[in-house]
Amino acid sequence: MTLDEMLKLTDDLVFAKTGQHLNDLQDKVVRGTIQGETYEKIAEDFHCNESYVRDIGAKLWHIFSESLGEEVNKSNLRSAMERLQVSLFSSHSLFLSNIAQESVQIRNINFCEKTRQPPDIPNSNSDYQQPPTEHHELSEMPELGVFYDRTSELETLQTCILQEHCRLITITGISGIGKTQLAVKFLQEIKHNFEYILWYNLDHASTFTEFQAELIELFDPNTDSELIPKNGKRLKPIKYLQKHRCLVVIDNIHNLFLSNQLAGQYQSEYEEFRYLFKQIEELSHQSCFLLIGWEQPIELAEIRSSNPKFKTLTIRGLETTAIAEFFREQELGEDEKLTPIIYHYQGNPLWLNIIANFIPEMEDFGDKIIENNPIFLPQSLKDNLQQQFNRLSPLEKQVILELVQQEQPVNLAQLLIRGQIPSSDLFNALQSLFRRCWLEKPDHFYCLSPVLRQYIIELNH
């Protein structure tokens, strides 16, 4: 009996019992057990705690024991599956009698098809319920809503988190580009791979102590939040992250940082977050932080170049096919007429939605506006851009004004020749603007997007 055949049988047994297929860790436990690996080796390969692997294994053996009517454990799993195969394909015997009110015939399990539906197994005679193994605090996670294709971004996140076991990933991009929606969609697809998940929305009133208390409460609901010291130094979240496989999502990470400064510089009251991220980098653990926002901590850009466990995913506009689907749903006309809109607003879902709602209000002038290829900024779009512009440092605003004065994109040499800004300040400002996704650099030439350029022009008139 091959390894794949055994894995298929175990997956079918779990699916018949719970209605869910083996997740990645369960598959690894079964695979490793069949191959004679120890729990320690399985935990090491999966970068998780050995006790957690033992717990997953014990629950699987319980499912198999209940299903087959015999004791199944780590040492006899292979022989139990071989006996099951003989029973299935030699005598067509009945099985899974302990989890069904009536005996379930083998034809009801459907072992051959790729797409399987759970068999109709009544639960009235079964007193077994799968023990809860997941502790997910997602009350602050927004609803997904309409989601347009982000296949490549989802695949990138899955590779980084589930395969490469990255410790910290930042999802950055200009406001409205779809960072949070991408994270919600991703979380819905992979949440069963984590024992603990916390979604934390970082607003302007948040403190590190509040964040720490919520994280510790996730692991230990009996912890009295009043016992957590105000300075946040006695109970360290890293201890829980080392012990458990955990995913922590922090949305609106830009609220940690100073306005009117270069990107990613902490406000004094949020320095504790800097220390936590430093611990995530330096100490061994099995968890992952996913940070979402307009900016990322300035030190993470430096760490990323030397630590493969730290990644940044910069979100760009929607692909053309997704944008076409958006406009078809809005019933705004032919795709050819919308080409200027797609170009100017760069596939930004929020910007496109604002414009889509604005065009019908122009009634008969709508098509002419599109055909004349202007860039128009409804007030709601201006308000959105104003929030981000207000965060820029004076130096960054000076660089932007330099770029707006140029009719064509300019390279670094041309900016230096103008001599308006000292070279070191210019380098720092350009780097910061890139981190905020306010600059584009086609073929080593710097420029602003059409929308941002128009916004700055109108702002200064």
Side-chain angles (χ1 to χ4, degrees):
M1 188 176 184
T2 67
L3 174 62
D4 288 341
E5 288 173 337
M6 288 190 182
L7 288 170
K8 193 170 187 301
L9 282 179
T10 56
D11 183 64
D12 281 311
L13 289 172
V14 170
F15 190 73
K17 185 72 174 178
T18 69
Q20 295 181 344
H21 295 295
L22 292 172
N23 61 34
D24 290 346
L25 180 53
Q26 290 172 326
D27 179 271
K28 177 62 179 175
V29 170
V30 172
R31 186 185 300 269
T33 297
I34 294 173
Q35 294 176 326
E37 296 179 355
T38 64
Y39 284 129
E40 182 181 6
K41 178 64 166 58
I42 296 171
E44 180 182 350
D45 290 344
F46 207 80
H47 302 281
C48 64
N49 189 275
E50 181 181 347
S51 63
Y52 182 45
V53 171
R54 288 182 179 275
D55 182 56
I56 294 296
K59 289 164 184 172
L60 287 171
W61 315 149
H62 187 82
I63 290 174
F64 299 152
S65 299
E66 288 278 332
S67 301
L68 301 179
E70 64 174 284
E71 182 178 355
V72 179
N73 52 47
K74 192 175 189 295
S75 61
N76 71 353
L77 176 63
R78 173 183 284 275
S79 59
M81 292 302 105
E82 289 174 343
R83 287 193 297 274
L84 175 59
Q85 187 191 45
V86 171
S87 175
L88 290 174
F89 297 105
S90 298
S91 62
H92 301 283
S93 63
L94 302 176
F95 72 108
L96 297 176
S97 57
N98 287 346
I99 60 169
Q101 185 175 10
E102 302 291 339
S103 295
V104 180
Q105 296 180 351
I106 182 58
R107 58 184 172 82
N108 289 333
I109 302 300
N110 194 5
F111 281 87
C112 300
E113 297 181 4
K114 288 186 178 179
T115 302
R116 294 161 292 185
Q117 297 298 325
D120 186 13
I121 302 175
N123 293 321
S124 57
N125 266 6
S126 175
D127 58 0
Y128 171 79
Q129 293 183 349
Q130 187 177 14
T133 60
E134 298 170 346
H135 309 274
H136 297 170
E137 173 47 63
L138 303 177
S139 60
E140 294 188 10
M141 184 176 77
E143 292 187 7
L144 181 60
V146 178
F147 184 82
Y148 295 97
D149 183 41
R150 290 282 192 183
T151 301
S152 62
E153 291 90 342
L154 290 170
E155 289 177 350
T156 297
L157 285 174
Q158 183 165 346
T159 298
C160 291
I161 294 179
L162 299 186
Q163 298 179 24
E164 298 176 358
H165 300 285
C166 290
R167 295 181 178 182
L168 190 148
I169 299 173
T170 55
I171 300 180
T172 64
I174 201 162
S175 178
I177 204 68
K179 303 178 294 296
T180 298
Q181 289 287 287
L182 174 66
V184 172
K185 178 67 173 177
F186 176 70
L187 203 60
Q188 290 180 349
E189 294 183 356
I190 59 88
K191 62 183 179 181
H192 297 299
N193 289 276
F194 287 90
E195 184 182 4
Y196 293 85
I197 298 179
L198 172 65
W199 184 293
Y200 188 81
N201 185 22
L202 189 68
D203 58 32
H204 292 285
S206 300
T207 67
F208 180 80
T209 300
E210 292 171 349
F211 165 76
Q212 180 180 242
E214 192 161 335
L215 183 58
I216 292 174
E217 185 178 1
L218 173 69
F219 295 108
D220 186 3
N222 296 320
T223 299
D224 189 345
S225 60
E226 294 183 358
L227 299 179
I228 298 176
K230 298 302 182 183
N231 59 16
K233 292 182 179 178
R234 189 174 304 161
L235 292 173
K236 294 183 178 180
I238 192 66
K239 296 182 182 296
Y240 296 96
L241 303 175
Q242 291 173 323
K243 185 177 180 180
H244 302 283
R245 176 76 167 146
C246 180
L247 175 63
V248 179
V249 182
I250 303 181
D251 199 3
N252 295 317
I253 193 72
H254 49 264
N255 285 328
L256 293 179
F257 311 124
L258 291 164
S259 295
N260 301 314
Q261 299 290 333
L262 296 179
Q265 300 189 49
Y266 290 87
Q267 300 182 56
S268 58
E269 60 267 33
Y270 290 133
E271 283 289 336
E272 290 284 0
F273 280 95
R274 182 202 296 272
Y275 302 142
L276 175 61
F277 298 150
K278 189 68 173 175
Q279 287 183 315
I280 293 170
E281 176 203 1
E282 295 177 342
L283 301 180
S284 176
H285 62 89
Q286 54 182 318
S287 297
C288 177
F289 271 61
L290 188 62
L291 311 182
I292 309 168
W294 302 339
E295 305 171 28
Q296 61 174 311
I298 191 169
E299 71 274 11
L300 294 187
E302 302 167 358
I303 294 172
R304 192 174 69 248
S305 61
S306 59
N307 191 334
K309 297 296 183 182
F310 279 53
K311 298 287 179 66
T312 293
L313 177 60
T314 301
I315 306 302
R316 305 297 181 186
L318 295 172
E319 297 290 341
T320 303
T321 53
I323 298 173
E325 178 187 352
F326 169 83
F327 280 119
R328 282 195 298 271
E329 291 181 356
Q330 299 291 333
E331 299 180 353
L332 291 179
E334 302 174 9
D335 293 345
E336 299 78 33
K337 292 183 178 180
L338 300 172
T339 300
I341 298 292
I342 294 172
Y343 168 74
H344 290 322
Y345 298 92
Q346 299 181 292
N348 185 305
L350 176 63
W351 296 358
L352 290 173
N353 190 62
I354 291 174
I355 298 305
N357 291 327
F358 181 73
I359 291 175
E361 296 179 6
M362 303 301 294
E363 296 180 349
D364 295 336
F365 298 97
D367 288 342
K368 293 181 180 179
I369 288 177
I370 296 175
E371 291 170 0
N372 291 334
N373 199 21
I375 303 171
F376 46 99
L377 305 177
Q379 187 60 47
S380 57
L381 180 50
K382 287 184 178 181
D383 292 342
N384 176 262
L385 297 174
Q386 186 71 39
Q387 289 182 336
Q388 299 167 79
F389 182 78
N390 288 343
R391 296 186 63 85
L392 302 184
S393 66
L395 189 59
E396 289 171 298
K397 292 176 182 178
Q398 185 178 352
V399 171
I400 286 176
L401 289 175
E402 285 280 321
L403 294 173
V404 167
Q405 292 172 13
Q406 309 302 313
E407 293 296 331
Q408 299 295 327
V410 296
N411 59 28
L412 182 58
Q414 290 171 313
L415 288 173
L416 289 171
I417 289 174
R418 289 179 60 83
Q420 300 298 315
I421 304 173
S423 59
S424 59
D425 288 344
L426 178 61
F427 291 142
N428 289 331
L430 290 172
Q431 188 177 48
S432 181
L433 287 168
F434 269 115
R435 289 174 180 165
R436 300 184 196 270
C437 300
W438 267 65
L439 278 191
E440 298 179 1
K441 192 179 180 183
D443 299 323
H444 304 289
F445 284 80
Y446 297 95
C447 65
L448 295 169
S449 72
V451 167
L452 294 180
R453 182 182 179 86
Q454 182 65 28
Y455 170 74
I456 299 300
I457 290 173
E458 293 186 15
L459 190 66
N460 287 275
H461 281 81

Short mmCIF file of all heavy atoms in Angstrom, two decimals, residues 144 147 153-159 161-162 169 171 180-191 194 247 290:
data_model
loop_
_atom_site.label_atom_id
_atom_site.label_comp_id
_atom_site.label_asym_id
_atom_site.label_seq_id
_atom_site.Cartn_x
_atom_site.Cartn_y
_atom_site.Cartn_z
N LEU A 144 -15.94 40.84 4.29
CA LEU A 144 -15.19 40.85 3.04
C LEU A 144 -15.84 41.75 1.99
O LEU A 144 -15.17 42.51 1.32
CB LEU A 144 -15.06 39.42 2.49
CG LEU A 144 -14.27 39.28 1.19
CD1 LEU A 144 -12.86 39.79 1.37
CD2 LEU A 144 -14.26 37.83 0.72
N PHE A 147 -15.24 41.20 -3.59
CA PHE A 147 -13.80 40.96 -3.71
C PHE A 147 -13.46 40.62 -5.15
O PHE A 147 -14.02 39.68 -5.73
CB PHE A 147 -13.37 39.81 -2.79
CG PHE A 147 -11.88 39.58 -2.79
CD1 PHE A 147 -11.05 40.37 -2.01
CD2 PHE A 147 -11.31 38.58 -3.57
CE1 PHE A 147 -9.68 40.17 -2.00
CE2 PHE A 147 -9.94 38.37 -3.56
CZ PHE A 147 -9.12 39.17 -2.77
N GLU A 153 -1.53 37.78 -5.45
CA GLU A 153 -1.24 38.25 -4.09
C GLU A 153 -1.59 37.18 -3.06
O GLU A 153 -0.85 36.98 -2.09
CB GLU A 153 -2.02 39.53 -3.80
CG GLU A 153 -1.54 40.74 -4.60
CD GLU A 153 -2.29 40.89 -5.92
OE1 GLU A 153 -2.91 39.91 -6.36
OE2 GLU A 153 -2.24 41.99 -6.51
N LEU A 154 -2.72 36.49 -3.25
CA LEU A 154 -3.10 35.42 -2.33
C LEU A 154 -2.08 34.29 -2.35
O LEU A 154 -1.74 33.73 -1.31
CB LEU A 154 -4.49 34.89 -2.68
CG LEU A 154 -5.67 35.85 -2.40
CD1 LEU A 154 -6.95 35.30 -3.02
CD2 LEU A 154 -5.85 36.04 -0.90
N GLU A 155 -1.61 33.96 -3.53
CA GLU A 155 -0.60 32.89 -3.64
C GLU A 155 0.70 33.30 -2.97
O GLU A 155 1.36 32.48 -2.32
CB GLU A 155 -0.36 32.56 -5.11
CG GLU A 155 -1.53 31.84 -5.78
CD GLU A 155 -1.29 31.60 -7.26
OE1 GLU A 155 -0.32 32.16 -7.81
OE2 GLU A 155 -2.07 30.83 -7.87
N THR A 156 1.07 34.57 -3.11
CA THR A 156 2.28 35.06 -2.45
C THR A 156 2.17 34.96 -0.94
O THR A 156 3.10 34.49 -0.26
CB THR A 156 2.56 36.53 -2.85
OG1 THR A 156 2.78 36.60 -4.26
CG2 THR A 156 3.77 37.07 -2.12
N LEU A 157 1.04 35.38 -0.39
CA LEU A 157 0.84 35.29 1.06
C LEU A 157 0.86 33.85 1.54
O LEU A 157 1.46 33.53 2.57
CB LEU A 157 -0.48 35.96 1.45
CG LEU A 157 -0.52 37.48 1.43
CD1 LEU A 157 -1.93 37.98 1.68
CD2 LEU A 157 0.44 38.06 2.46
N GLN A 158 0.22 32.98 0.79
CA GLN A 158 0.18 31.57 1.18
C GLN A 158 1.59 30.97 1.19
O GLN A 158 1.94 30.23 2.11
CB GLN A 158 -0.73 30.78 0.24
CG GLN A 158 -0.86 29.31 0.64
CD GLN A 158 -2.03 28.64 -0.06
OE1 GLN A 158 -2.87 29.31 -0.63
NE2 GLN A 158 -2.07 27.33 -0.02
N THR A 159 2.38 31.30 0.18
CA THR A 159 3.75 30.80 0.13
C THR A 159 4.57 31.32 1.31
O THR A 159 5.28 30.56 1.98
CB THR A 159 4.42 31.21 -1.20
OG1 THR A 159 3.71 30.63 -2.29
CG2 THR A 159 5.87 30.73 -1.24
N ILE A 161 3.59 32.52 4.27
CA ILE A 161 3.14 32.18 5.61
C ILE A 161 3.09 30.68 5.84
O ILE A 161 3.55 30.17 6.87
CB ILE A 161 1.77 32.83 5.89
CG1 ILE A 161 1.93 34.36 5.92
CG2 ILE A 161 1.19 32.34 7.22
CD1 ILE A 161 0.64 35.10 6.17
N LEU A 162 2.53 29.92 4.91
CA LEU A 162 2.33 28.49 5.13
C LEU A 162 3.52 27.64 4.71
O LEU A 162 3.73 26.56 5.28
CB LEU A 162 1.07 28.02 4.39
CG LEU A 162 -0.24 28.68 4.80
CD1 LEU A 162 -1.42 28.03 4.09
CD2 LEU A 162 -0.43 28.62 6.31
N ILE A 169 5.11 39.93 8.04
CA ILE A 169 4.83 40.37 6.68
C ILE A 169 4.06 41.68 6.76
O ILE A 169 3.09 41.80 7.51
CB ILE A 169 4.00 39.33 5.90
CG1 ILE A 169 4.76 38.01 5.80
CG2 ILE A 169 3.67 39.84 4.50
CD1 ILE A 169 3.94 36.89 5.20
N ILE A 171 1.79 44.36 4.63
CA ILE A 171 1.01 44.61 3.42
C ILE A 171 0.82 46.12 3.33
O ILE A 171 0.14 46.72 4.15
CB ILE A 171 -0.35 43.91 3.46
CG1 ILE A 171 -0.19 42.40 3.61
CG2 ILE A 171 -1.16 44.21 2.20
CD1 ILE A 171 -1.50 41.64 3.67
N THR A 180 -6.68 45.64 3.27
CA THR A 180 -7.45 44.94 4.30
C THR A 180 -8.33 43.87 3.70
O THR A 180 -8.44 42.76 4.24
CB THR A 180 -8.31 45.96 5.09
OG1 THR A 180 -7.44 46.90 5.74
CG2 THR A 180 -9.15 45.25 6.14
N GLN A 181 -8.97 44.17 2.56
CA GLN A 181 -9.82 43.16 1.92
C GLN A 181 -9.00 41.93 1.51
O GLN A 181 -9.48 40.80 1.65
CB GLN A 181 -10.49 43.77 0.69
CG GLN A 181 -11.57 44.80 1.01
CD GLN A 181 -12.83 44.15 1.57
OE1 GLN A 181 -13.58 43.52 0.85
NE2 GLN A 181 -13.04 44.30 2.86
N LEU A 182 -7.79 42.15 1.03
CA LEU A 182 -6.92 41.03 0.69
C LEU A 182 -6.63 40.18 1.92
O LEU A 182 -6.69 38.94 1.86
CB LEU A 182 -5.62 41.55 0.09
CG LEU A 182 -4.53 40.50 -0.19
CD1 LEU A 182 -4.98 39.54 -1.28
CD2 LEU A 182 -3.22 41.18 -0.57
N ALA A 183 -6.32 40.83 3.03
CA ALA A 183 -6.01 40.09 4.26
C ALA A 183 -7.22 39.31 4.76
O ALA A 183 -7.08 38.17 5.22
CB ALA A 183 -5.52 41.06 5.34
N VAL A 184 -8.41 39.91 4.67
CA VAL A 184 -9.63 39.21 5.10
C VAL A 184 -9.85 37.96 4.24
O VAL A 184 -10.14 36.88 4.76
CB VAL A 184 -10.85 40.14 5.02
CG1 VAL A 184 -12.14 39.37 5.26
CG2 VAL A 184 -10.73 41.28 6.04
N LYS A 185 -9.73 38.12 2.94
CA LYS A 185 -9.91 36.99 2.03
C LYS A 185 -8.90 35.90 2.33
O LYS A 185 -9.24 34.71 2.39
CB LYS A 185 -9.77 37.47 0.59
CG LYS A 185 -9.87 36.36 -0.46
CD LYS A 185 -11.25 35.76 -0.52
CE LYS A 185 -11.38 34.79 -1.68
NZ LYS A 185 -12.72 34.14 -1.72
N PHE A 186 -7.66 36.27 2.53
CA PHE A 186 -6.61 35.30 2.82
C PHE A 186 -6.89 34.58 4.13
O PHE A 186 -6.76 33.35 4.22
CB PHE A 186 -5.25 36.01 2.89
CG PHE A 186 -4.12 35.11 3.29
CD1 PHE A 186 -3.66 34.13 2.42
CD2 PHE A 186 -3.53 35.24 4.53
CE1 PHE A 186 -2.62 33.29 2.79
CE2 PHE A 186 -2.49 34.41 4.90
CZ PHE A 186 -2.04 33.43 4.03
N LEU A 187 -7.30 35.33 5.13
CA LEU A 187 -7.56 34.73 6.44
C LEU A 187 -8.70 33.72 6.37
O LEU A 187 -8.65 32.66 7.02
CB LEU A 187 -7.87 35.83 7.46
CG LEU A 187 -7.63 35.47 8.93
CD1 LEU A 187 -6.18 35.12 9.15
CD2 LEU A 187 -8.03 36.63 9.82
N GLN A 188 -9.72 34.03 5.62
CA GLN A 188 -10.83 33.10 5.46
C GLN A 188 -10.38 31.78 4.87
O GLN A 188 -10.93 30.72 5.18
CB GLN A 188 -11.92 33.72 4.60
CG GLN A 188 -12.67 34.87 5.26
CD GLN A 188 -13.75 35.45 4.38
OE1 GLN A 188 -13.83 35.14 3.19
NE2 GLN A 188 -14.58 36.31 4.94
N GLU A 189 -9.37 31.82 4.02
CA GLU A 189 -8.91 30.62 3.34
C GLU A 189 -7.94 29.78 4.16
O GLU A 189 -7.88 28.56 3.98
CB GLU A 189 -8.25 31.00 2.00
CG GLU A 189 -9.23 31.61 1.00
CD GLU A 189 -8.57 31.92 -0.34
OE1 GLU A 189 -7.34 31.73 -0.45
OE2 GLU A 189 -9.28 32.35 -1.27
N ILE A 190 -7.17 30.41 5.06
CA ILE A 190 -6.10 29.65 5.74
C ILE A 190 -6.24 29.60 7.26
O ILE A 190 -5.37 29.07 7.95
CB ILE A 190 -4.72 30.24 5.39
CG1 ILE A 190 -4.60 31.72 5.81
CG2 ILE A 190 -4.45 30.12 3.90
CD1 ILE A 190 -4.12 31.98 7.20
N LYS A 191 -7.33 30.11 7.81
CA LYS A 191 -7.40 30.26 9.27
C LYS A 191 -7.31 28.94 10.02
O LYS A 191 -6.87 28.92 11.18
CB LYS A 191 -8.68 31.01 9.66
CG LYS A 191 -9.98 30.31 9.28
CD LYS A 191 -11.17 31.18 9.66
CE LYS A 191 -12.50 30.53 9.28
NZ LYS A 191 -13.64 31.39 9.64
N PHE A 194 -3.97 27.69 11.83
CA PHE A 194 -3.43 28.32 13.02
C PHE A 194 -4.26 27.97 14.24
O PHE A 194 -5.49 27.99 14.21
CB PHE A 194 -3.37 29.84 12.85
CG PHE A 194 -2.29 30.30 11.91
CD1 PHE A 194 -2.56 30.43 10.55
CD2 PHE A 194 -1.02 30.56 12.38
CE1 PHE A 194 -1.57 30.84 9.68
CE2 PHE A 194 -0.03 30.98 11.51
CZ PHE A 194 -0.30 31.12 10.16
N LEU A 247 -1.27 33.49 14.54
CA LEU A 247 -1.25 34.54 13.53
C LEU A 247 -1.86 35.79 14.13
O LEU A 247 -3.01 35.77 14.59
CB LEU A 247 -2.02 34.12 12.28
CG LEU A 247 -2.16 35.18 11.18
CD1 LEU A 247 -0.81 35.56 10.61
CD2 LEU A 247 -3.09 34.69 10.07
N LEU A 290 1.09 39.86 10.75
CA LEU A 290 0.71 40.44 9.47
C LEU A 290 0.30 41.88 9.73
O LEU A 290 -0.70 42.14 10.39
CB LEU A 290 -0.45 39.64 8.86
CG LEU A 290 -0.87 39.99 7.42
CD1 LEU A 290 0.28 39.73 6.45
CD2 LEU A 290 -2.08 39.16 7.02
#
